[in-house]
């Protein structure tokens, strides 16, 4: 299954637009250089009071997200 590695550093104030309804997608560039438009709700499990930070593996099939997990 194809996958991409995403290094995400989104402070809480940047995510505020999502929760105010002004945005619903996050544009992230993978380590491989591919731009990914990710629906913001997929980041909720990883959200802390500081925001979302870390490296993540995004697996997809037929252009659709299959899983998103934090890398150790």
């Amino acid at each position: 299954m194809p996958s991409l590695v995403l290094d995400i550093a989104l402070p809480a104030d940047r995510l505020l637009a999502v929760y105010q309804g002004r945005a619903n997608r996050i544009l992230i560039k993978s380590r491989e250089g591919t731009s990914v438009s990710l629906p913001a709700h997929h980041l909720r499990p990883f959200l802390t009071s500081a925001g979302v930070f870390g490296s993540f593996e995004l697996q997809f099939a037929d252009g659709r997200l299959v899983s998103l997990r934090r890398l150790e």
Side-chain angles (χ1 to χ4, degrees):
M1 182 172 309
S3 66
L4 295 170
V5 176
L6 308 173
D7 294 313
I8 301 175
L10 286 170
D13 63 329
R14 294 277 313 270
L15 289 168
L16 189 57
V18 172
Y19 293 100
Q20 290 176 338
R22 294 182 288 134
N24 63 0
R25 301 185 78 78
I26 306 293
L27 185 61
I28 305 166
K29 189 165 278 205
S30 73
R31 284 185 188 172
E32 297 82 5
T34 304
S35 292
V36 177
S37 178
L38 184 66
H41 71 270
H42 289 295
L43 297 177
R44 271 192 205 129
F46 310 107
L47 181 62
T48 68
S49 60
V52 178
F53 295 90
S55 296
F56 298 83
E57 180 185 43
L58 181 146
Q59 291 186 333
F60 58 96
D62 298 323
R64 295 179 184 252
L65 183 123
V66 173
S67 71
L68 181 66
R69 69 178 184 92
R70 184 185 304 269
L71 298 175
E72 298 297 322

